[in-house]
C-alpha cells in the first residue's frame, strides 16, 4: 500500500471515529435527559403517595381544597396556577420555595402544622421536595391521578362494599351488598362514607351514616353540603363505597395556649379570642385608622392594609368605612 492510500485510510478512520463519537454523545445526552425526566416523574409519584397519606384530610382527595369539598381548610394545591405552563422560570421557583417553606414550617394562625422532622414533623428533606414537585412539576396532572388512586386503595373496605341499586340525588337509603362493618357512632365524630372519586374527573359525594340494618343490607345516610361538604348526586348500581375522609384537626399552629413556641421562629398566633394577627410581618399595636376606607388585601395567613401586614384597626365612633377585600392568596376566604 502506498503512502497516499495509507493517508486516505487514516483520514477515513478518523472521520468514522468522529462521527461515531458525535452520535454517542448525542445518544448519551438524550439518555441523560430521559433519566432526569424519569427521576422527576418518580418523585412526583412518591409525592402523590405522601399526599394521600398525610395531606388530604385538609386539602381534599384531589388536592383542590374547598374547590372540591366545602369546609376544607387547606389551600387548593392541584390548580394550574401552581405549575407549568402557567408558571415558568423565576415565578415557578418562587412558588416552589413558598410551598417548601410552608410544608417545613407550617402556617402560624392556621391548622397547617410544620411537617419537617427538624420542626417536630414527620417528613425528611427529600419527602418535602417530593411533595413540592407534586404541586409544581409539569408532571403534576399525572401525579394527582396517582394521589387519587393511592387514596382509593387506602379507603377501600377489605371486602368491597357496593351499591346493589342505583341511588338518586334525593335518596337517603343505600342498598348494599354487605352492611356489616359500617355503623354510626353514638354522638360525634360522625361516621362518613364516600361514593365516587374513582379518578380526578369523577365527582364524589361524602355522606354521614345515620343508621345501618345489616340484615336488610341497607344504610341510612344524611346528605348535602351542610352535612359533609359535598352536593348530593346520582350514583349507579355497583358503585363502590369507600371509608369517608378523616376530618381535619383544629389545633392552631403557633397558638400559645396549645403548642407553645411557633415553628421556624415565626411570631406566635394570637390567643383564642385575641385581636390582631401574629404571622409574617407582625402587627401594628398602635392601630391603623379605617376612617377613610381602603383596600384590605387577604393573604393565605395574613391581611395587608396600606403596606402593613396584620395591623390592628381603629374607627371613629359613628363613622362608616367602605373596604374592598381582594384575595391575594391561593386559599378561599370568608369573612
Amino acid at each position: 500500500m502506498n503512502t497516499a492510500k495509507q493517508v486516505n485510510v487514516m483520514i477515513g478512520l478518523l472521520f468514522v471515529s468522529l462521527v461515531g463519537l458525535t452520535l454517542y454523545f448525542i445518544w448519551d445526552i438524550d439518555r441523560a435527559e430521559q433519566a432526569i425526566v424519569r427521576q422527576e416523574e418518580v418523585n412526583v409519584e412518591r409525592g402523590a403517595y405522601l399526599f394521600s397519606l398525610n395531606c388530604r384530610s385538609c386539602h381534599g382527595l384531589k388536592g383542590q381544597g374547598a374547590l372540591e369539598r366545602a369546609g376544607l381548610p387547606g389551600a387548593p394545591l392541584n390548580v394550574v396556577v401552581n405549575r407549568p405552563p402557567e408558571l415558568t422560570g423565576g415565578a415557578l421557583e418562587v412558588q416552589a420555595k413558598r410551598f417548601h417553606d410552608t410544608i417545613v414550617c407550617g402556617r402560624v394562625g392556621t391548622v397547617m402544622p410544620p411537617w419537617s422532622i427538624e420542626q417536630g414533623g414527620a417528613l425528611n428533606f427529600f419527602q418535602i421536595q417530593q411533595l413540592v414537585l407534586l404541586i409544581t412539576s409539569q408532571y403534576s396532572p399525572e401525579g394527582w391521578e396517582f394521589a387519587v388512586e393511592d387514596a382509593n386503595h387506602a379507603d377501600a373496605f377489605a371486602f368491597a362494599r357496593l351499591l346493589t341499586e342505583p341511588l338518586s340525588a334525593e335518596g337517603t337509603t343505600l342498598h348494599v351488598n354487605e352492611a356489616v362493618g359500617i355503623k354510626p357512632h353514638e354522638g360525634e365524630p360522625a361516621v362518613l362514607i364516600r361514593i365516587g372519586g374513582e379518578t380526578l374527573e369523577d365527582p364524589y359525594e361524602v355522606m354521614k351514616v345515620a343508621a345501618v340494618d345489616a340484615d336488610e343490607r341497607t344504610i341510612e345516610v344524611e346528605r348535602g353540603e351542610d352535612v359533609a361538604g359535598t352536593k348530593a348526586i346520582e350514583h349507579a348500581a355497583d358503585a363502590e363505597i369507600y371509608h369517608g375522609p378523616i376530618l381535619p384537626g383544629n389545633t392552631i399552629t403557633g397558638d400559645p395556649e396549645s403548642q407553645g413556641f411557633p415553628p421556624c421562629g415565626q411570631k406566635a398566633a394570637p390567643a383564642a379570642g385575641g385581636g390582631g394577627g401574629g404571622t409574617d410581618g407582625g402587627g401594628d399595636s398602635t392601630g391603623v385608622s379605617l376612617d377613610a376606607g381602603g383596600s384590605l388585601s387577604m393573604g393565605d395567613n395574613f391581611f395587608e392594609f396600606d403596606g402593613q401586614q396584620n395591623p390592628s384597626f381603629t374607627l371613629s365612633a359613628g363613622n362608616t368605612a367602605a373596604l374592598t377585600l381582594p384575595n391575594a392568596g391561593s386559599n378561599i376566604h370568608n369573612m
Side-chain angles (χ1 to χ4, degrees):
M1 182 180 294
N2 58 38
T3 303
K5 288 183 177 180
Q6 289 177 328
V7 170
N8 288 335
V9 169
M10 292 177 65
I11 292 174
L13 290 173
L14 284 171
F15 179 76
V16 171
S17 298
L18 286 172
V19 171
L21 284 171
T22 301
L23 292 174
Y24 172 79
F25 281 119
I26 292 174
W27 170 81
D28 193 52
I29 291 172
D30 182 64
R31 183 182 64 169
E33 290 176 348
Q34 290 180 1
I36 292 172
V37 167
R38 181 54 188 155
Q39 183 179 35
E40 185 169 341
E41 289 176 333
V42 168
N43 281 317
V44 168
E45 291 178 21
R46 292 174 178 170
Y49 171 72
L50 290 169
F51 176 88
S52 70
L53 191 65
N54 299 295
C55 310
R56 57 192 172 98
S57 63
C58 287
H59 295 276
L61 174 72
K62 304 176 183 181
Q64 295 172 333
L67 298 177
E68 68 175 79
R69 184 175 159 223
L72 288 178
L77 304 176
N78 177 19
V79 287
V80 294
V81 295
N82 287 335
R83 58 184 183 247
E86 191 80 11
L87 285 182
T88 57
L92 182 61
E93 291 178 6
V94 169
Q95 188 78 323
K97 184 179 187 305
R98 173 174 172 266
F99 284 120
H100 176 272
D101 292 347
T102 300
I103 297 170
V104 168
C105 297
R107 281 191 177 274
V108 165
T110 75
V111 296
M112 175 67 181
W115 283 98
S116 68
I117 291 174
E118 291 78 6
Q119 299 298 327
L123 302 180
N124 61 36
F125 172 82
F126 296 105
Q127 291 172 317
I128 291 173
Q129 288 297 99
Q130 288 163 351
L131 280 170
V132 172
L133 277 175
L134 170 66
I135 302 167
T136 62
S137 169
Q138 60 182 315
Y139 307 111
S140 290
E142 295 88 345
W144 289 111
E145 289 282 5
F146 281 114
V148 172
E149 183 179 331
D150 288 334
N152 286 335
H153 282 309
D155 291 348
F157 284 87
F159 175 76
R161 304 294 192 269
L162 308 172
L163 292 179
T164 57
E165 297 181 13
L167 179 67
S168 70
E170 295 76 28
T172 57
T173 301
L174 280 58
H175 296 269
V176 298
N177 63 329
E178 181 60 78
V180 173
I182 303 176
K183 58 182 180 180
H185 280 308
E186 294 294 333
E188 298 295 335
V191 171
L192 302 176
I193 57 175
R194 169 171 60 90
I195 304 178
E198 301 287 345
T199 66
L200 275 176
E201 290 72 30
D202 185 30
Y204 71 88
E205 180 183 355
V206 178
M207 309 173 186
K208 179 180 177 181
V209 177
V212 177
D213 189 325
D215 295 330
E216 294 294 326
R217 297 182 182 180
T218 59
I219 304 171
E220 297 295 327
V221 295
E222 298 176 18
R223 310 171 68 183
E225 287 187 276
D226 57 336
V227 174
T230 55
K231 294 180 180 179
I233 56 178
E234 294 181 354
H235 301 282
D238 293 330
E240 186 164 0
I241 300 170
Y242 295 96
H243 288 283
I246 298 172
L247 297 176
N250 56 10
T251 300
I252 300 299
T253 299
D255 180 0
E257 298 297 323
S258 60
Q259 286 194 323
F261 295 105
C264 299
Q266 299 178 78
K267 292 189 175 183
T279 56
D280 298 344
D284 180 6
S285 59
T286 61
V288 172
S289 174
L290 290 181
D291 286 342
S295 177
L296 179 64
S297 179
M298 310 293 284
D300 284 332
N301 65 337
F302 66 91
F303 57 85
E304 185 171 316
F305 184 83
D306 196 23
Q308 297 186 57
Q309 287 190 1
N310 303 329
S312 56
F313 294 117
T314 63
L315 184 66
S316 299
N319 193 19
T320 299
L323 293 174
T324 59
L325 301 171
N327 182 8
S330 58
N331 255 324
I332 296 172
H333 297 288
N334 51 30
M335 173 172 264

